[in-house]
Amino acid sequence: MPMQPWFTEAKLGIFVHYGIYSVDGVPESWSLYSGEVPHERYMRQLDGFTASAYDAGAWARLFARAGAAYAVLTARHHDGFALWDTAHGELNAVHHTPAGRDLVAEYTAALREQGLKVGLYYSHSDWSHPDYASVTHPAPPNESVATHPLVTPADGVDDPRAWSRYLAYRDGQVGELVSRFRPDLLWFDGEWERGEEQWGLPALAERILAGNPETVLNARMLGYGDYATPEQGVPLQQPPGPWELCLTVNESWGYQPQDRAHKSVRQLVRYFAETIGMGGNLLLAVGPREDGTFLPEQVERLEGLGDWIAKHSEAVHSTVAGLPAGHHYGPSTLSADGRTLYLVCFDPPRETVSLRGLRTKVRRVSVVGSGALLGHRVTGGLGEVPGVLWIDAPAPADVDGRATVLAVELEDELDLYRGAGRS
């Protein structure tokens, strides 16, 4: 079915990694997998998970303030710990931690109250489930998947009955998420540890969409996903189809107290502009502490990004991917009607800003946010090869310290020259 329009219009989502790993501030699930934290000690974090200051309404207001249209919460990560009141499996926040609350239910209600779309993360894999390491991957992608005791049977002998029990557990939990919370988006993970048929993805996708036909699925549903999910680096070329860049505010997905390498607001604006300039969404990850509060540095980053988005809303919302590389030194977006180009300038423009290969005549140029009009002229050009459009640099008072955006209004729909010039 076609992609849900809300997703491609969203531009920004917030990714929240929240679980018992926040208690000791260890790498989410991976510290268990790597052996950095023994299983018994990892699970002792259950006793310290209080969510004592968890306020889903405050989260939702912060995400809306950041300019996000949706959020994705780790309902269950690879460690098997569930944030909702599940009838499948033993590890959950309601019955096995001091929190004693269905955190997913509160999150879902709060997001919808703010008009935000609800995303839930769920890992296909569960490194704590007794039946998980019961079958081998038919074509393991790496040595770890082929041999790790949390993934593969120790004797190398498959146990199909155990695997069937695991899939029933997985399907039961996903079914609960769909029926109770009706998420707009299901963000799966862990898919690399099995093949599509082993996971039973055809049947799982059918069940999800039968429960809610409008559910968006990410590419970690393999052949049943709706969009791609590159991580931690803006692609150099626009991916085909819908996509989303997953990016951490610092260097960690979940809360790790020693990680203070938070990206600046200016850097986040750059990531965001480069992503939407290639037609993608930015899914920006923050990690709350075990009590449910975010570090002040992360709040400041979200609010700062939100301020920039609000000021430049016309260049963000109801736009599509802008110019291909080579036309402008920076990212750009294009209005839905194809008649206004938005040029992003990360550094304060000096003297002029140039735009190459533009065949369409320009009606006017202004600074987004201030409305200041800018002079512009074309030099050169011969035959089918257009000249260069030169736009006067805005006055210092009209320059945005994080990124200045120029609106180039066209007399007709955008028409670009992409040739090699006269031979």
Side-chain angles (χ1 to χ4, degrees):
M1 62 184 298
M3 187 55 155
Q4 295 299 315
W6 73 260
F7 182 84
T8 48
E9 169 58 19
K11 310 303 182 186
L12 180 67
I14 306 299
F15 205 1
V16 186
H17 281 65
Y18 188 37
I20 59 172
Y21 42 80
S22 305
V23 174
D24 291 342
V26 297
E28 64 296 325
S29 301
W30 290 100
S31 55
L32 178 64
Y33 187 89
S34 68
E36 174 186 340
V37 180
H39 188 272
E40 183 181 354
R41 179 152 63 91
Y42 187 94
M43 290 303 168
R44 281 205 296 268
Q45 294 177 105
L46 289 164
D47 298 331
F49 188 75
T50 67
S52 58
Y54 173 70
D55 182 345
W59 280 21
R61 290 189 293 274
L62 174 62
F63 301 162
R65 168 87 161 75
Y70 66 108
V72 177
L73 172 66
T74 50
R76 180 175 75 66
H77 209 264
H78 313 310
D79 59 8
F81 174 70
L83 292 179
W84 78 98
D85 188 7
T86 177
H88 303 273
E90 297 298 319
L91 292 174
N92 67 79
V94 179
H95 301 291
H96 298 280
T97 74
R101 300 157 62 184
D102 189 321
L103 305 178
V104 174
E106 295 178 36
Y107 157 88
T108 301
L111 258 62
R112 294 205 164 112
E113 186 175 334
Q114 289 295 319
L116 303 179
K117 297 293 185 180
V118 172
L120 295 176
Y121 168 112
Y122 185 89
S123 175
H124 292 294
S125 56
D126 182 341
W127 297 329
S128 296
H129 195 283
D131 291 321
Y132 183 65
S134 57
V135 294
T136 55
H137 193 302
N142 54 55
E143 182 67 16
S144 182
V145 168
T147 62
H148 200 288
L150 294 181
V151 178
T152 301
D155 57 6
V157 178
D158 287 359
D159 184 344
R161 294 180 65 182
W163 183 244
S164 293
R165 289 194 299 269
Y166 178 77
L167 289 184
Y169 151 79
R170 190 273 316 264
D171 292 348
Q173 287 198 330
V174 173
E176 288 177 336
L177 295 178
V178 173
S179 62
R180 292 188 198 173
F181 308 118
R182 294 188 64 80
D184 303 285
L185 184 155
L186 278 171
W187 209 104
F188 286 96
D189 202 4
E191 81 295 343
W192 62 88
E193 292 194 335
R194 306 285 181 228
E196 190 170 285
E197 292 302 317
Q198 280 182 315
W199 284 127
L201 295 188
L204 179 62
E206 184 177 352
R207 282 193 291 271
I208 292 169
L209 297 178
N212 181 10
E214 297 184 348
T215 308
V216 175
L217 305 175
N218 71 337
R220 302 178 193 201
M221 274 289 285
L222 299 176
Y224 299 88
D226 298 308
Y227 70 95
T229 55
E231 293 185 18
Q232 297 289 53
V234 180
L236 295 181
Q237 295 183 4
Q238 181 176 340
W243 64 283
E244 167 192 78
L245 172 65
C246 311
L247 180 78
T248 52
V249 168
N250 51 4
E251 297 298 319
S252 309
W253 298 101
Y255 169 66
Q256 294 186 41
Q258 79 284 358
D259 183 358
R260 296 292 177 144
H262 293 90
K263 299 170 181 68
S264 68
V265 174
R266 196 165 188 270
Q267 287 174 319
L268 294 176
V269 166
R270 179 181 286 262
Y271 274 109
F272 178 69
E274 290 174 341
T275 299
I276 67 172
M278 286 197 289
N281 291 349
L282 177 62
L283 185 62
L284 187 59
V286 288
R289 293 167 285 204
E290 68 79 19
D291 66 357
T293 61
F294 294 103
L295 290 171
E297 297 95 324
Q298 297 198 347
V299 173
E300 186 266 335
R301 271 31 172 215
L302 293 183
E303 291 180 343
L305 178 58
D307 289 342
W308 188 89
I309 291 173
K311 179 179 177 181
H312 301 93
S313 178
E314 69 173 273
V316 173
H317 299 113
S318 299
T319 63
V320 296
L323 300 166
H327 292 274
H328 162 63
Y329 291 115
S332 60
T333 59
L334 178 66
S335 61
D337 65 5
R339 289 175 175 263
T340 304
L341 267 173
Y342 297 99
L343 309 180
V344 181
C345 304
F346 294 126
D347 297 315
R350 297 170 57 187
E351 185 182 354
T352 55
V353 173
S354 65
L355 180 56
R356 297 171 297 285
L358 181 63
R359 284 184 169 136
T360 320
K361 289 185 177 179
V362 174
R363 190 166 70 85
R364 72 172 191 169
V365 181
S366 61
V367 180
V368 177
S370 76
L373 296 178
L374 302 177
H376 55 90
R377 68 204 63 82
V378 176
T379 62
L382 179 64
E384 67 169 4
V385 183
V388 176
L389 175 69
W390 299 95
I391 302 168
D392 292 341
D398 296 309
V399 171
D400 187 286
R402 290 162 179 171
T404 304
V405 182
L406 309 182
V408 181
E409 299 176 39
L410 308 174
E411 292 188 358
D412 207 337
E413 291 186 18
L414 175 68
D415 183 15
L416 291 178
Y417 173 74
R418 297 285 292 160
R422 183 176 178 182
S423 60

